[in-house]
Amino acid sequence: MLADEMRACTRCAELAATRTQVVVGSGPSDARLVVVGEAPGAVEDETGTPFVGRSGQLLDRLLAEAGLSRTDVAVINTVKCRPPGNRVPSRAETANCRPWTTRQLEELRPSLVVTLGLSASSWFLGKTTLGAVRGIVHEVDGRRVLPTYHPAAALRGGPRGEAMTRLREDLALAVRLVS
Ligand code: URA
């Protein structure tokens, strides 16, 4: 099974040595919407579930506002192991993990992928800026991809910040597109 193969992965020596566990992903295997983040943080590394810390709670709340329960959504990260100190994953780590993410997407076959933040968006679109691509549905390898802000950016900008407003709008669009 793919998840078991991922749990045994040691392609990144440092991450394999420092992780508590591989955070494979969450949600139903037939989810129409797949949300893709960057890498697990401390709480995710502890619990084994992606997006359960503050960013995850905001994601759940905004999805619920838009009419979709988190339990109906599949959530994965481009890198499955926590980088120590929550540093940004290196290019090598992202490349090492890429085949896992590709296989997950092949198995999930979602109707729409929402990418949270620049790392996840660049995973699909290549080098870009979030301002240029967010809020627009892109077609990548026959897949619909909707980039938006990372919830951590929305939290940093406060409840009435630009990132929060756009994230809310983009998630509402995502829910409409899969409903
Ligand atoms: N941020 C991410 O990008 N992914 C998580 O799983 C948690 C926080």
Side-chain angles (χ1 to χ4, degrees), residues 10-27:
T10 55
R11 283 179 202 164
C12 305
E14 188 190 12
L15 302 195
T18 55
R19 72 186 179 217
T20 305
Q21 55 197 310
V22 178
V23 181
V24 168
S26 68

Side-chain angles (χ1 to χ4, degrees), residues 37-41 44 49-52 55 77 150:
E38 180 181 76
E44 291 78 18
T49 306
F51 280 100
V52 288
S55 288
N77 284 301
H150 195 287

Side-chain angles (χ1 to χ4, degrees), residues 64-136:
E65 261 181 35
L68 199 61
S69 161
R70 160 75 183 255
T71 53
D72 293 328
V73 176
V75 182
I76 61 175
N77 284 301
T78 56
V79 171
K80 320 297 174 196
C81 300
R82 180 189 184 219
N86 291 347
R87 62 168 172 74
V88 175
S90 70
R91 281 167 65 159
E93 288 161 354
T94 305
N96 285 342
C97 221
R98 195 171 184 96
W100 296 129
T101 306
T102 301
R103 284 177 62 187
Q104 287 182 300
L105 293 168
E106 281 165 7
E107 286 197 356
L108 287 163
R109 303 181 66 77
S111 164
L112 180 71
V113 176
V114 166
T115 54
L116 301 177
L118 187 60
S119 288
S121 302
S122 301
W123 192 97
F124 289 89
L125 299 172
K127 193 171 154 53
T128 186
T129 61
L130 210 47
V133 295
R134 70 135 284 275
I136 300 167

